[in-house]
Amino acid sequence: MLERGDVMIFKRQEGFRYAFGDPLEAGAVILIDGKPLDIERTRIPCKILDMSPRGLKLMIEEDFSEYKNKVLQVEISFVLDAAEIKGIGEIIWSKKWGSGYHYGIAFI
């Protein structure tokens, strides 16, 4: 879902989206202007809820809404079938969910 003013545009029509039965454990580094948000803590634990060729849905306990006027990127790493995978994407939407937040990430 992309935010354009007050209009939300959903991109769920992608041909392939894999929803993990059990969320996939991952680590994330939040970047602002290409620099880590918190240099003392290198990785934030998070979970990948679903993934498509163009992005993924991530669950993180932390709220990054104070940076909504900045371009936030996520450097994410996770292990899938014994292979470590790393990627960078931009946070394009967020939603409060239980005690944490869901974030929509578009791969760069």
Side-chain angles (χ1 to χ4, degrees), residues 1-3 8 11 72 90-94 103-106:
M1 157 169 73
L2 300 174
E3 294 184 39
M8 298 290 209
K11 305 228 11 154
L72 286 178
E90 185 177 330
I91 296 176
I92 57 172
W93 62 265
S94 66
Y103 292 96
I105 312 298

Side-chain angles (χ1 to χ4, degrees), residues 34-90:
K35 296 181 181 142
L37 177 63
D38 184 352
I39 58 173
E40 293 179 14
R41 185 172 61 170
T42 55
R43 287 175 39 130
I44 298 169
C46 59
K47 295 181 180 186
I48 299 172
L49 302 174
D50 67 37
M51 185 181 307
S52 74
R54 295 184 184 177
L56 53 84
K57 184 178 4 174
L58 199 60
M59 185 174 74
I60 300 178
E61 299 234 345
E62 298 180 46
D63 178 16
F64 301 109
S65 63
E66 68 183 272
Y67 305 101
K68 67 181 177 183
N69 294 326
K70 301 203 181 267
V71 175
L72 286 178
Q73 294 177 322
V74 176
E75 183 179 278
I76 189 156
S77 60
F78 56 96
V79 176
L80 190 59
D81 195 29
E84 184 176 18
I85 299 171
K86 294 183 178 185
I88 295 180
E90 185 177 330

